[in-house]
Amino acid sequence: MSALIRLLLPAIAAAFISACGVSSGGDMTDPKLDSGAVSDSSAAQKSAAPSSKEDSAQGPDDKETLRKVALSMSSVSDPASKTYKIGPLDVVDITVFNVPELSKTVQVSEAGTINFPLIGEFQAGGKTGREVERELSLKLGDKYLQNPQITVFIKNYNSQRVTLEGAVKKPGVYPITGGLSLLQAVAQAQGFEDKADETVLIFRQVNGERQVAKYDVSRIRDGSAEDPALEAGDVIVAPSSSVKEGIGAVFKALPLFTLVSLL
């Protein structure tokens, strides 16, 4: 289970308790995320604003908790956040204090790697700036410098990416090149871990609002639901079985293929 999932589990469990009254037939639908919906009548659900049923089920405290959960999830794709994860084609400034010949601006490759003097190629994609700072400090301090002080700053970022977290074999940041579907993103992450049941949450910002949708990837894979296109900035979370047990009926109450507003 990723550190992000463990840290957010209490907030997620508390936040979604109010959603128990939401049925899978709700009309809180975004047309882009709802492309895979299969209703009992086999007709696509219509796009609409969040229903009053959802609003009435959530008190002020519940809505605030939901907002915090959404903010935590989306921060990994927000360059202004300390938890932002470096992605392919990002440009980063690396400064080594008092060693100007090692300070440089580099662009992350499409594979998520960068080349750095004395160290060579190493993986930066999927890591925060602080994680890269620590890794560079360890590598340089091991052989070349005494107590190196390193700062990593995200100078430019490539917005065309999605982030996969949780019970997938290779969590990380993946570029959207010529379009990327949910199934393709899961394949790039080398599929689900054994403990996962192939249900994922997609966190997305729509018109400035943070929203979430639940998808059953097994239904997409067997052809009973369409494979939705992902958008830049999407955060896809595959909760492990233990996380879902912690959330309990709350997770099950979230409607499939339906975008639910968290604000």
Side-chain angles (χ1 to χ4, degrees), residues 123-144:
Q123 187 70 29
K127 299 175 182 177
T128 66
R130 288 186 174 181
E131 288 172 338
V132 173
E133 289 172 358
R134 286 194 293 269
E135 184 170 341
L136 286 175
S137 295
L138 288 173
K139 290 180 180 294
L140 291 175
D142 184 44
K143 294 182 179 180
Y144 308 105

PDB file of all heavy atoms in Angstrom, residues 123-144:
ATOM      1  N   GLN A 123      16.455   7.820 -12.118  1.00  0.00           N
ATOM      2  CA  GLN A 123      15.018   8.036 -12.232  1.00  0.00           C
ATOM      3  C   GLN A 123      14.569   9.207 -11.374  1.00  0.00           C
ATOM      4  O   GLN A 123      14.762   9.216 -10.160  1.00  0.00           O
ATOM      5  CB  GLN A 123      14.261   6.768 -11.817  1.00  0.00           C
ATOM      6  CG  GLN A 123      12.763   6.810 -12.058  1.00  0.00           C
ATOM      7  CD  GLN A 123      12.399   6.759 -13.524  1.00  0.00           C
ATOM      8  OE1 GLN A 123      13.129   6.183 -14.341  1.00  0.00           O
ATOM      9  NE2 GLN A 123      11.269   7.338 -13.880  1.00  0.00           N
ATOM     10  N   ALA A 124      13.957  10.210 -12.027  1.00  0.00           N
ATOM     11  CA  ALA A 124      13.393  11.349 -11.307  1.00  0.00           C
ATOM     12  C   ALA A 124      11.877  11.373 -11.417  1.00  0.00           C
ATOM     13  O   ALA A 124      11.194  11.886 -10.533  1.00  0.00           O
ATOM     14  CB  ALA A 124      13.968  12.659 -11.836  1.00  0.00           C
ATOM     15  N   GLY A 125      11.338  10.831 -12.504  1.00  0.00           N
ATOM     16  CA  GLY A 125       9.901  10.821 -12.713  1.00  0.00           C
ATOM     17  C   GLY A 125       9.178  10.038 -11.626  1.00  0.00           C
ATOM     18  O   GLY A 125       9.634   8.973 -11.201  1.00  0.00           O
ATOM     19  N   GLY A 126       8.055  10.581 -11.167  1.00  0.00           N
ATOM     20  CA  GLY A 126       7.286   9.919 -10.123  1.00  0.00           C
ATOM     21  C   GLY A 126       7.758  10.244  -8.727  1.00  0.00           C
ATOM     22  O   GLY A 126       7.196   9.746  -7.746  1.00  0.00           O
ATOM     23  N   LYS A 127       8.782  11.106  -8.604  1.00  0.00           N
ATOM     24  CA  LYS A 127       9.309  11.485  -7.298  1.00  0.00           C
ATOM     25  C   LYS A 127       9.083  12.978  -7.080  1.00  0.00           C
ATOM     26  O   LYS A 127       8.984  13.757  -8.025  1.00  0.00           O
ATOM     27  CB  LYS A 127      10.811  11.181  -7.206  1.00  0.00           C
ATOM     28  CG  LYS A 127      11.136   9.698  -7.377  1.00  0.00           C
ATOM     29  CD  LYS A 127      12.636   9.472  -7.393  1.00  0.00           C
ATOM     30  CE  LYS A 127      12.956   7.989  -7.608  1.00  0.00           C
ATOM     31  NZ  LYS A 127      14.416   7.763  -7.689  1.00  0.00           N
ATOM     32  N   THR A 128       9.000  13.377  -5.821  1.00  0.00           N
ATOM     33  CA  THR A 128       8.897  14.797  -5.503  1.00  0.00           C
ATOM     34  C   THR A 128      10.281  15.435  -5.593  1.00  0.00           C
ATOM     35  O   THR A 128      11.311  14.745  -5.618  1.00  0.00           O
ATOM     36  CB  THR A 128       8.337  15.003  -4.091  1.00  0.00           C
ATOM     37  OG1 THR A 128       9.287  14.500  -3.126  1.00  0.00           O
ATOM     38  CG2 THR A 128       7.002  14.288  -3.914  1.00  0.00           C
ATOM     39  N   GLY A 129      10.297  16.779  -5.617  1.00  0.00           N
ATOM     40  CA  GLY A 129      11.573  17.477  -5.646  1.00  0.00           C
ATOM     41  C   GLY A 129      12.433  17.133  -4.448  1.00  0.00           C
ATOM     42  O   GLY A 129      13.648  16.959  -4.568  1.00  0.00           O
ATOM     43  N   ARG A 130      11.820  17.011  -3.281  1.00  0.00           N
ATOM     44  CA  ARG A 130      12.577  16.674  -2.070  1.00  0.00           C
ATOM     45  C   ARG A 130      13.158  15.266  -2.140  1.00  0.00           C
ATOM     46  O   ARG A 130      14.267  15.015  -1.647  1.00  0.00           O
ATOM     47  CB  ARG A 130      11.677  16.825  -0.840  1.00  0.00           C
ATOM     48  CG  ARG A 130      11.377  18.281  -0.488  1.00  0.00           C
ATOM     49  CD  ARG A 130      10.615  18.410   0.814  1.00  0.00           C
ATOM     50  NE  ARG A 130      10.450  19.799   1.212  1.00  0.00           N
ATOM     51  CZ  ARG A 130       9.839  20.198   2.310  1.00  0.00           C
ATOM     52  NH1 ARG A 130       9.328  19.301   3.146  1.00  0.00           N
ATOM     53  NH2 ARG A 130       9.723  21.482   2.590  1.00  0.00           N
ATOM     54  N   GLU A 131      12.412  14.343  -2.735  1.00  0.00           N
ATOM     55  CA  GLU A 131      12.930  12.981  -2.883  1.00  0.00           C
ATOM     56  C   GLU A 131      14.142  12.960  -3.800  1.00  0.00           C
ATOM     57  O   GLU A 131      15.125  12.236  -3.542  1.00  0.00           O
ATOM     58  CB  GLU A 131      11.832  12.062  -3.410  1.00  0.00           C
ATOM     59  CG  GLU A 131      10.752  11.757  -2.387  1.00  0.00           C
ATOM     60  CD  GLU A 131       9.574  10.999  -2.969  1.00  0.00           C
ATOM     61  OE1 GLU A 131       9.364  11.065  -4.202  1.00  0.00           O
ATOM     62  OE2 GLU A 131       8.853  10.346  -2.200  1.00  0.00           O
ATOM     63  N   VAL A 132      14.108  13.761  -4.867  1.00  0.00           N
ATOM     64  CA  VAL A 132      15.262  13.851  -5.770  1.00  0.00           C
ATOM     65  C   VAL A 132      16.432  14.511  -5.054  1.00  0.00           C
ATOM     66  O   VAL A 132      17.586  14.090  -5.205  1.00  0.00           O
ATOM     67  CB  VAL A 132      14.890  14.628  -7.052  1.00  0.00           C
ATOM     68  CG1 VAL A 132      16.129  14.872  -7.910  1.00  0.00           C
ATOM     69  CG2 VAL A 132      13.846  13.865  -7.851  1.00  0.00           C
ATOM     70  N   GLU A 133      16.154  15.533  -4.254  1.00  0.00           N
ATOM     71  CA  GLU A 133      17.216  16.176  -3.476  1.00  0.00           C
ATOM     72  C   GLU A 133      17.919  15.171  -2.573  1.00  0.00           C
ATOM     73  O   GLU A 133      19.160  15.119  -2.520  1.00  0.00           O
ATOM     74  CB  GLU A 133      16.630  17.301  -2.621  1.00  0.00           C
ATOM     75  CG  GLU A 133      16.188  18.522  -3.394  1.00  0.00           C
ATOM     76  CD  GLU A 133      15.441  19.527  -2.539  1.00  0.00           C
ATOM     77  OE1 GLU A 133      15.234  19.243  -1.336  1.00  0.00           O
ATOM     78  OE2 GLU A 133      15.055  20.588  -3.065  1.00  0.00           O
ATOM     79  N   ARG A 134      17.130  14.354  -1.861  1.00  0.00           N
ATOM     80  CA  ARG A 134      17.718  13.366  -0.943  1.00  0.00           C
ATOM     81  C   ARG A 134      18.536  12.328  -1.713  1.00  0.00           C
ATOM     82  O   ARG A 134      19.628  11.942  -1.276  1.00  0.00           O
ATOM     83  CB  ARG A 134      16.619  12.680  -0.129  1.00  0.00           C
ATOM     84  CG  ARG A 134      16.029  13.571   0.959  1.00  0.00           C
ATOM     85  CD  ARG A 134      15.218  12.757   1.944  1.00  0.00           C
ATOM     86  NE  ARG A 134      14.012  12.200   1.328  1.00  0.00           N
ATOM     87  CZ  ARG A 134      12.842  12.793   1.313  1.00  0.00           C
ATOM     88  NH1 ARG A 134      12.703  13.993   1.854  1.00  0.00           N
ATOM     89  NH2 ARG A 134      11.798  12.217   0.761  1.00  0.00           N
ATOM     90  N   GLU A 135      17.998  11.879  -2.857  1.00  0.00           N
ATOM     91  CA  GLU A 135      18.706  10.847  -3.621  1.00  0.00           C
ATOM     92  C   GLU A 135      20.022  11.379  -4.166  1.00  0.00           C
ATOM     93  O   GLU A 135      21.056  10.700  -4.097  1.00  0.00           O
ATOM     94  CB  GLU A 135      17.825  10.349  -4.764  1.00  0.00           C
ATOM     95  CG  GLU A 135      18.448   9.203  -5.541  1.00  0.00           C
ATOM     96  CD  GLU A 135      17.488   8.555  -6.519  1.00  0.00           C
ATOM     97  OE1 GLU A 135      16.261   8.739  -6.355  1.00  0.00           O
ATOM     98  OE2 GLU A 135      17.962   7.863  -7.436  1.00  0.00           O
ATOM     99  N   LEU A 136      19.996  12.595  -4.703  1.00  0.00           N
ATOM    100  CA  LEU A 136      21.235  13.192  -5.216  1.00  0.00           C
ATOM    101  C   LEU A 136      22.240  13.417  -4.085  1.00  0.00           C
ATOM    102  O   LEU A 136      23.444  13.196  -4.254  1.00  0.00           O
ATOM    103  CB  LEU A 136      20.928  14.505  -5.922  1.00  0.00           C
ATOM    104  CG  LEU A 136      20.266  14.421  -7.305  1.00  0.00           C
ATOM    105  CD1 LEU A 136      19.911  15.812  -7.805  1.00  0.00           C
ATOM    106  CD2 LEU A 136      21.183  13.720  -8.295  1.00  0.00           C
ATOM    107  N   SER A 137      21.754  13.855  -2.927  1.00  0.00           N
ATOM    108  CA  SER A 137      22.644  14.092  -1.786  1.00  0.00           C
ATOM    109  C   SER A 137      23.334  12.806  -1.360  1.00  0.00           C
ATOM    110  O   SER A 137      24.540  12.799  -1.058  1.00  0.00           O
ATOM    111  CB  SER A 137      21.853  14.682  -0.614  1.00  0.00           C
ATOM    112  OG  SER A 137      21.339  15.955  -0.928  1.00  0.00           O
ATOM    113  N   LEU A 138      22.577  11.709  -1.340  1.00  0.00           N
ATOM    114  CA  LEU A 138      23.166  10.420  -0.959  1.00  0.00           C
ATOM    115  C   LEU A 138      24.196   9.952  -1.978  1.00  0.00           C
ATOM    116  O   LEU A 138      25.280   9.479  -1.614  1.00  0.00           O
ATOM    117  CB  LEU A 138      22.054   9.375  -0.811  1.00  0.00           C
ATOM    118  CG  LEU A 138      21.149   9.513   0.413  1.00  0.00           C
ATOM    119  CD1 LEU A 138      19.989   8.520   0.333  1.00  0.00           C
ATOM    120  CD2 LEU A 138      21.946   9.295   1.698  1.00  0.00           C
ATOM    121  N   LYS A 139      23.862  10.093  -3.256  1.00  0.00           N
ATOM    122  CA  LYS A 139      24.772   9.606  -4.304  1.00  0.00           C
ATOM    123  C   LYS A 139      26.050  10.440  -4.365  1.00  0.00           C
ATOM    124  O   LYS A 139      27.160   9.899  -4.488  1.00  0.00           O
ATOM    125  CB  LYS A 139      24.057   9.624  -5.659  1.00  0.00           C
ATOM    126  CG  LYS A 139      22.952   8.570  -5.788  1.00  0.00           C
ATOM    127  CD  LYS A 139      22.288   8.638  -7.150  1.00  0.00           C
ATOM    128  CE  LYS A 139      21.189   7.602  -7.305  1.00  0.00           C
ATOM    129  NZ  LYS A 139      21.719   6.227  -7.283  1.00  0.00           N
ATOM    130  N   LEU A 140      25.914  11.770  -4.277  1.00  0.00           N
ATOM    131  CA  LEU A 140      27.100  12.624  -4.319  1.00  0.00           C
ATOM    132  C   LEU A 140      27.897  12.536  -3.023  1.00  0.00           C
ATOM    133  O   LEU A 140      29.134  12.551  -3.034  1.00  0.00           O
ATOM    134  CB  LEU A 140      26.699  14.072  -4.580  1.00  0.00           C
ATOM    135  CG  LEU A 140      26.147  14.379  -5.978  1.00  0.00           C
ATOM    136  CD1 LEU A 140      25.683  15.835  -6.060  1.00  0.00           C
ATOM    137  CD2 LEU A 140      27.209  14.106  -7.049  1.00  0.00           C
ATOM    138  N   GLY A 141      27.199  12.436  -1.900  1.00  0.00           N
ATOM    139  CA  GLY A 141      27.883  12.357  -0.615  1.00  0.00           C
ATOM    140  C   GLY A 141      28.600  11.041  -0.401  1.00  0.00           C
ATOM    141  O   GLY A 141      29.545  10.957   0.390  1.00  0.00           O
ATOM    142  N   ASP A 142      28.165  10.009  -1.114  1.00  0.00           N
ATOM    143  CA  ASP A 142      28.776   8.690  -0.942  1.00  0.00           C
ATOM    144  C   ASP A 142      30.205   8.643  -1.459  1.00  0.00           C
ATOM    145  O   ASP A 142      31.074   7.976  -0.883  1.00  0.00           O
ATOM    146  CB  ASP A 142      27.921   7.650  -1.664  1.00  0.00           C
ATOM    147  CG  ASP A 142      28.431   6.242  -1.439  1.00  0.00           C
ATOM    148  OD1 ASP A 142      28.776   5.906  -0.295  1.00  0.00           O
ATOM    149  OD2 ASP A 142      28.484   5.466  -2.414  1.00  0.00           O
ATOM    150  N   LYS A 143      30.480   9.401  -2.562  1.00  0.00           N
ATOM    151  CA  LYS A 143      31.800   9.292  -3.189  1.00  0.00           C
ATOM    152  C   LYS A 143      32.509  10.624  -3.439  1.00  0.00           C
ATOM    153  O   LYS A 143      33.737  10.665  -3.479  1.00  0.00           O
ATOM    154  CB  LYS A 143      31.680   8.561  -4.534  1.00  0.00           C
ATOM    155  CG  LYS A 143      31.257   7.111  -4.430  1.00  0.00           C
ATOM    156  CD  LYS A 143      31.210   6.483  -5.826  1.00  0.00           C
ATOM    157  CE  LYS A 143      30.808   5.025  -5.753  1.00  0.00           C
ATOM    158  NZ  LYS A 143      30.749   4.409  -7.120  1.00  0.00           N
ATOM    159  N   TYR A 144      31.721  11.715  -3.613  1.00  0.00           N
ATOM    160  CA  TYR A 144      32.322  12.913  -4.174  1.00  0.00           C
ATOM    161  C   TYR A 144      32.327  14.145  -3.267  1.00  0.00           C
ATOM    162  O   TYR A 144      33.303  14.897  -3.259  1.00  0.00           O
ATOM    163  CB  TYR A 144      31.616  13.270  -5.492  1.00  0.00           C
ATOM    164  CG  TYR A 144      31.551  12.119  -6.463  1.00  0.00           C
ATOM    165  CD1 TYR A 144      30.365  11.423  -6.670  1.00  0.00           C
ATOM    166  CD2 TYR A 144      32.683  11.722  -7.170  1.00  0.00           C
ATOM    167  CE1 TYR A 144      30.299  10.361  -7.563  1.00  0.00           C
ATOM    168  CE2 TYR A 144      32.638  10.667  -8.071  1.00  0.00           C
ATOM    169  CZ  TYR A 144      31.441   9.985  -8.254  1.00  0.00           C
ATOM    170  OH  TYR A 144      31.393   8.930  -9.133  1.00  0.00           O
TER     171      TYR A 144
END
